[in-house]
Amino acid sequence: MPETTWQKSSYSGSGDNNCVELAASDTTLTLRESNNPTAVLHTHHPQLAALLRHIKTTTPRH
């Protein structure tokens, strides 16, 4: 099994344990928070893209 290559979010700070990381393959995206690296979320490209579009276009409720 190939080793997972994690990419740190550009919005994350410079600290090692304060970021969201993403690993991508041809079909799957895996996300984790660096301070809890054993808890990962597996998703697919279209689902994550839909989530990000929703987050960017939805007005937060107060």
Side-chain angles (χ1 to χ4, degrees):
M1 184 173 187
E3 185 176 325
T4 302
T5 303
W6 293 98
Q7 180 178 348
K8 184 177 175 180
S9 169
S10 62
Y11 287 98
S12 298
S14 59
D16 289 335
N17 290 326
N18 188 24
C19 63
V20 173
E21 298 172 311
L22 172 79
S25 72
D26 290 340
T27 59
T28 305
L29 296 168
T30 306
L31 293 97
R32 71 180 183 182
E33 187 173 345
S34 60
N35 67 353
N36 188 8
T38 59
V40 295
L41 171 67
H42 301 278
T43 189
H44 299 280
H45 298 263
Q47 288 83 0
L48 183 58
L51 173 63
L52 295 174
R53 274 193 306 277
H54 177 75
I55 290 168
K56 289 179 181 181
T57 60
T58 302
T59 303
R61 296 181 186 171
H62 297 281

